Amino acid sequence: MATSEQSPSYNVFVYGSFQEAAVVSLILECTPVIISAQLHGFHLYRLKGRLHPCIAPSESGLVNGKVLTGLTEAQLQNLDMIQGAEYVRKTVEVVLTETSEKIQVEALIWANKDDPDMYGEWDFEEWKRLHMDKFIEASKKFIEWKKNPDGKTREEFEKFVHEDPPVA
């Protein structure tokens, strides 16, 4: 009897811009099953000069987000690559919103928990209104770059996820 090895699949807790299905489908090149969840013990911070947030440990914190289910290793690498080295992937426990079930998932955590650029609380609805279109364009450029780097580095695309400087 032949056995077939199944590739591992991953469940990933996302927050911020990756809660938006249009962004997720671009980055992953498919639309996974998405489940609402909460992550206790973390806070969702704004990052000075950037369009995307980060999470860092916070004793009384609570982050509402989504779990992307059944991701492949390649899709997980896409998330890691677009987020960059400032994030580290860790296994965390989340609570599924609809069932209160606790599950272990991967999450991208801001590596420098004492970063002075972290402040306040990031607002998803504000991001959708003000920055989603720019972020989707940046995501398209990132996927194009990944398929054909043409001598460009990842850092050249990082500028697309920064806020425009204030006009004097």
Side-chain angles (χ1 to χ4, degrees), residues 87-151:
Y87 292 85
V88 292
R89 187 171 3 123
K90 293 188 177 179
T91 301
V92 297
E93 181 178 86
V94 298
V95 179
L96 301 181
T97 306
E98 287 189 23
T99 64
S100 298
E101 178 186 356
K102 294 178 180 180
I103 62 169
Q104 299 287 310
V105 297
E106 301 296 308
L108 291 163
I109 314 292
W110 195 244
N112 180 2
K113 66 180 180 56
D114 299 316
D115 190 330
D117 287 344
M118 297 186 324
Y119 71 98
E121 183 148 356
W122 191 82
D123 184 299
F124 181 64
E125 293 304 320
E126 176 184 290
W127 174 85
K128 282 175 67 173
R129 261 190 340 273
L130 301 176
H131 305 295
M132 184 171 75
D133 291 341
K134 182 177 180 180
F135 200 88
I136 287 173
E137 283 308 307
S139 298
K140 287 178 185 175
K141 289 180 189 313
F142 174 80
I143 293 300
E144 289 168 15
W145 166 78
K146 186 175 180 268
K147 290 178 180 174
N148 182 18
D150 199 25

Side-chain angles (χ1 to χ4, degrees), residues 11 13 36 41 59 64 87 96 103 123 125 141 160 162:
N11 295 329
F13 179 76
S36 294
E59 199 173 298
N64 291 304
Y87 292 85
L96 301 181
I103 62 169
D123 184 299
E125 293 304 320
K141 289 180 189 313
F160 292 110
H162 284 74

Side-chain angles (χ1 to χ4, degrees), residues 22-35:
V23 172
V24 170
S25 63
L26 270 171
I27 301 302
L28 300 181
E29 301 179 274
C30 75
T31 304
V33 173
I34 301 172
I35 304 167

